[in-house]
Amino acid sequence: MRALAERPEDVPAVFAERFNSGDPDALAEMYEEEAVLVPEPGVPVSGADVRAANGCLQGLGVPISVRPRHVYGCGDLALLIVDWVIEGVGRDGQTVHVEGAATDVARRGEDGRWRYVVDNPFGIRTEPVCF
């Protein structure tokens, strides 16, 4: 499996690879310890809840595809705007389609690797997400 990103523009691809691996530990490494994830518009979570929220989507067994739209870096911080979709047939045989335009913040750690500080997968969306 690919190491954590050394450049901010590589963060989405590394995330997708780790998400698609089905390994929750590998996915959890994408986040700083105090990171915030917004799994539903207006509902930020942190700590163990980040892993649980990601586990819900990862557990569908459907791959994610990502398409970075913009990456803006300033020193050790970067803003990533990324279109993504999880689409296919889930483990339960049901069709899955979840998509968003993420607005994320990543930071370069002391080890030179980039991790999410804020993962807001649904961007400016305000309505609840049902999947």
Side-chain angles (χ1 to χ4, degrees):
M1 182 169 317
R2 185 187 308 194
L4 294 175
E6 293 181 355
R7 304 176 319 154
E9 56 268 27
D10 295 332
V11 170
V14 173
F15 178 89
E17 180 180 309
R18 287 168 176 251
F19 181 96
N20 293 340
S21 76
D23 181 348
D25 293 329
L27 189 58
E29 290 175 357
M30 292 293 307
Y31 295 85
E32 286 191 355
E33 188 174 323
E34 301 298 320
V36 172
L37 170 66
V38 186
E40 291 282 334
V43 184
V45 299
S46 59
D49 292 335
V50 170
R51 186 181 182 110
N54 274 328
C56 179
L57 287 175
Q58 202 174 27
L60 295 170
V62 178
I64 190 171
S65 61
V66 298
R67 192 179 45 137
R69 194 185 308 181
H70 302 289
V71 177
Y72 303 114
C74 181
D76 291 339
L77 290 176
L79 173 66
L80 304 112
I81 310 297
V82 180
D83 296 315
W84 61 272
V85 63
I86 298 171
E87 187 170 42
V89 177
R91 290 187 176 113
D92 62 0
Q94 299 295 312
T95 300
V96 174
H97 181 90
V98 186
E99 65 181 298
T103 53
D104 299 330
V105 177
R107 180 171 27 216
R108 181 176 31 222
E110 291 181 11
D111 62 357
R113 306 294 181 163
W114 290 82
R115 294 172 182 82
Y116 288 111
V117 178
V118 178
D119 182 0
N120 183 23
F122 296 102
I124 62 171
R125 188 178 196 166
T126 57
E127 69 274 5
V129 179
C130 298
F131 50 85

